[in-house]
Amino acid sequence: MAPPISTFPASELPIVSQTNLKGTKRKGFDGDLKACELLEMLQYDCKIEEPGRKNSPVRCWPIERLFRRCRDREGSFLVETTALEGRGKEV
């Protein structure tokens, strides 16, 4: 079972991204996500149209996810920015 995750508004992502997995402030990263490389990943959400019917068609819809690859003194790390950037939005 995955550990519980705290939630926060997307607008706080630049502040939250300054904390590493150990809970301490990242050294060498000031939270400027615009300075990080933008990456995109396409995933698919698929549904069986009629699950109880044999050979029912499967329909899939693309889901675009955006990430930023940032660096601190320990190396690089990824931050998902889809909710912050979305389509037509900028960090």
Side-chain angles (χ1 to χ4, degrees), residues 14-82:
I15 296 164
V16 174
S17 66
Q18 292 181 45
T19 305
N20 64 20
L21 293 175
K22 299 172 194 166
T24 59
K25 185 169 172 34
R26 291 183 189 279
K27 294 183 172 138
F29 178 68
D30 62 0
D32 182 12
L33 295 171
K34 285 184 185 179
C36 303
E37 177 186 9
L38 179 63
L39 304 170
E40 178 182 350
M41 179 174 72
L42 199 58
Q43 290 185 312
Y44 291 89
D45 179 26
C46 299
K47 303 278 189 233
I48 300 172
E49 281 192 359
E50 297 177 45
R53 193 181 105 205
K54 188 176 181 180
N55 297 326
S56 178
V58 177
R59 303 280 183 226
C60 297
W61 296 268
I63 299 171
E64 180 183 49
R65 294 180 67 191
L66 302 172
F67 297 85
R68 294 284 180 159
R69 180 183 295 143
C70 303
R71 295 191 64 78
D72 62 8
R73 289 189 192 155
E74 293 184 16
S76 65
F77 60 96
L78 289 176
V79 177
E80 183 175 359
T81 58
T82 305

